[in-house]
Amino acid sequence: MEPTTVVFVYGSLLRGGQYHRLLQGAEFLGTDSLNHIDLYDLGPYPMAVPGRNRLYGERYRIPLSLLPRLDELEDHPRLYRRQWVQLDSGTSAWVYLGRPEQVQGCPLIPSGRWLPRPS
């Protein structure tokens, strides 16, 4: 059996999102949230950075071998940085976060929820 890990997604990897197909075969574990994170609208995709709000998304159990594909999608570590965090549920997961200087001038999404958009 292949080793697995948990990932928390909040943008284009969400169900209905443009890149959700990359999670095909992953086990959906439920919705979750992460406190002290602000979500910004960068146009075609969002970026979450450390902040004051709460970020909402979905948790998935994925094969460890899928992480390099997700790293490539998220341009880790140049654009997003994959970080191991504890979610509000108490579960730990990987999440891709940006840096505050990357979202300057972009609109804050106060709800902390990215609604998947048609591709």
Side-chain angles (χ1 to χ4, degrees), residues 10-74:
Y10 59 84
S12 62
L13 288 165
L14 290 168
R15 288 176 292 176
Q18 180 179 5
Y19 294 107
H20 181 73
R21 69 184 182 284
L22 293 178
L23 295 176
Q24 183 176 355
E27 179 187 358
F28 175 69
L29 299 175
T31 58
D32 214 324
S33 58
L34 182 58
N35 203 9
H36 304 296
I37 300 290
D38 291 339
L39 186 63
Y40 287 86
D41 187 341
L42 275 63
Y45 56 88
M47 181 175 278
V49 301
R52 296 183 174 159
N53 292 301
R54 178 167 272 121
L55 175 66
Y56 295 90
E58 299 169 347
R59 262 183 304 121
Y60 290 88
R61 181 171 314 285
I62 64 167
L64 204 52
S65 62
L66 181 56
L67 269 183
R69 285 180 54 201
L70 298 181
D71 285 351
E72 183 179 343
L73 172 70
E74 304 292 2

Side-chain angles (χ1 to χ4, degrees), residues 69-86:
R69 285 180 54 201
L70 298 181
D71 285 351
E72 183 179 343
L73 172 70
E74 304 292 2
D75 198 5
H76 165 74
R78 192 185 71 76
L79 183 59
Y80 289 86
R81 292 183 180 159
R82 178 167 40 93
Q83 298 180 33
W84 188 250
V85 298
Q86 184 170 359

